[in-house]
Amino acid sequence: MDDVSWDVDSDDESSAVAEIIGRQIKFWREAAGLRVVQFGDLMGYGENLIHKVERGARIPRPEFLDRADEALGAKGHLAALKPDAEKARYPRKVRDVAKLEAQAVEVCSYNNSVIDGLLQHEDYAAAVFSNRRPPLPDDVVERRLQARMERQRIIEESIGRTTFSFVLCESTLRRSPGGTMALRSQIEHLLAVSDLRNVDLQILPLNRERNTGLDGPFRLTKLKDGATVGLIEVQLASRVVTDPKEVQILDMRYGIIRAQALTPDESQKFIKKVDR
């Protein structure tokens, strides 16, 4: 039952939180006079998972902490760690973006490199992370994949509160980082997400004579207070854009890109043809 915890990035501050939580669980286990294998049997989890949690290699999910609290008679001390575990499950950069998205009334994204992270199918996302060079450790790939899948829930959970506009260059539909089957699953996932009431998904065909998105991917997050924040990621660099003049330029470019792209209905038909 390895789905009761999240992996930890060793270079992220979440590792410190994971170690503290792990020490607390170990303290209460030993106070209860239980060996690791006994605690695992009592919880219904494998011994290996318990070892990982206690040494801070994995961050326990809320249900794990609830069960451990009850099994060890911790009187709420372990259950009280759930908010800390929840925050630590994402790498720092992802946490910052997730905070912005939680305050957003509209999220706009253009990408001509890969499918936007909020739209990625699990198999496609796993291939994207696995293609990094130098290679990421397996446990880091797993944790980032879990964080990405969890973060995608914001789309359905924010129906009626936040709208999402995505423009994908046709090139993103032609790349298959995980192979043919991963691309097919990705195409089906795009069609499903594009049916959501708060999502507009558009495709910018490669044969368009005019393409304002040649400078690369970017994102705009429009907040409840009227402010707009831009995000640009290129290779090893990531930059948040808050200068009003720069934000205005990105906003203008995004409007033009949307106008150059196929309509949402036309885009769905286009995507279906790619899947053949």
Side-chain angles (χ1 to χ4, degrees):
M1 298 181 66
D2 286 350
D3 60 345
V4 297
S5 62
W6 298 288
D7 283 301
V8 180
D9 283 333
S10 60
D11 60 345
D12 189 72
E13 62 189 33
S14 61
S15 62
V17 176
E19 290 173 6
I20 292 172
I21 293 175
R23 285 199 296 269
Q24 284 292 310
I25 293 172
K26 184 177 181 180
F27 169 82
W28 285 99
R29 174 182 63 77
E30 292 179 342
L34 295 174
R35 291 182 290 113
V36 171
V37 64
Q38 293 173 315
F39 179 46
D41 290 341
L42 187 63
M43 292 278 288
Y45 303 140
E47 181 180 355
N48 184 51
L49 177 63
I50 302 298
H51 277 298
K52 286 184 177 180
V53 170
E54 289 193 351
R55 71 170 186 266
R58 305 203 83 178
I59 301 171
R61 290 180 180 268
E63 56 268 30
F64 182 101
L65 291 169
D66 282 333
R67 294 179 193 178
D69 194 278
E70 183 178 354
L72 300 176
K75 299 180 180 180
H77 288 84
L78 293 178
L81 297 172
K82 288 189 291 184
D84 297 308
E86 179 74 10
K87 292 177 183 177
R89 65 178 168 149
Y90 293 135
R92 184 186 307 137
K93 183 181 72 172
V94 177
R95 287 202 300 273
D96 292 341
V97 174
K99 285 180 182 178
L100 283 176
E101 290 169 348
Q103 304 172 46
V105 294
E106 184 179 12
V107 175
C108 304
S109 170
Y110 169 72
N111 209 311
N112 59 358
S113 176
V114 295
I115 304 294
D116 186 279
L118 287 175
L119 300 174
Q120 289 179 6
H121 182 272
E122 186 170 1
D123 294 341
Y124 183 97
V128 170
F129 286 130
S130 297
N131 271 311
R132 294 280 179 86
R133 291 295 181 271
L136 295 171
D138 288 343
D139 59 341
V140 174
V141 170
E142 183 183 348
R143 182 183 176 237
R144 292 190 180 182
L145 179 61
Q146 289 176 339
R148 176 156 293 179
M149 295 301 102
E150 289 280 345
R151 185 170 147 244
Q152 290 181 359
R153 293 166 51 189
I154 191 173
I155 295 181
E156 291 194 51
E157 291 176 351
S158 63
I159 291 178
R161 186 181 73 245
T162 308
T163 59
F164 293 83
S165 169
F166 299 96
V167 180
L168 297 175
C169 177
E170 179 188 344
S171 60
T172 65
L173 303 178
R174 302 298 180 183
R175 296 190 181 96
S176 52
T180 303
M181 293 306 296
L183 180 59
R184 181 168 297 173
S185 296
Q186 178 62 64
I187 294 298
E188 292 175 355
H189 183 65
L190 284 177
L191 291 171
V193 175
S194 67
D195 278 333
L196 295 175
R197 292 186 292 113
N198 62 332
V199 174
D200 281 328
L201 174 59
Q202 297 176 252
I203 303 300
L204 182 57
L206 286 169
N207 64 3
R208 284 289 199 257
E209 184 175 342
R210 299 190 179 188
N211 184 333
T212 306
L214 295 178
D215 283 345
F218 65 93
R219 173 173 292 192
L220 289 167
T221 303
K222 301 183 180 183
L223 308 177
K224 297 175 183 177
D225 62 4
T228 299
V229 177
L231 178 65
I232 300 173
E233 294 183 291
V234 182
Q235 292 292 337
L236 302 178
S238 176
R239 185 167 78 92
V240 174
V241 181
T242 57
D243 180 86
K245 291 182 179 180
E246 293 185 339
V247 169
Q248 187 178 45
I249 291 173
L250 291 179
D251 195 26
M252 176 192 67
R253 287 181 181 176
Y254 191 75
I256 296 173
I257 289 171
R258 289 194 71 177
Q260 293 168 339
L262 299 173
T263 68
D265 287 342
E266 292 170 340
S267 296
Q268 275 201 336
K269 295 176 182 177
F270 189 95
I271 294 170
K272 289 176 182 177
K273 290 180 181 179
V274 173
D275 193 29
R276 290 178 182 175

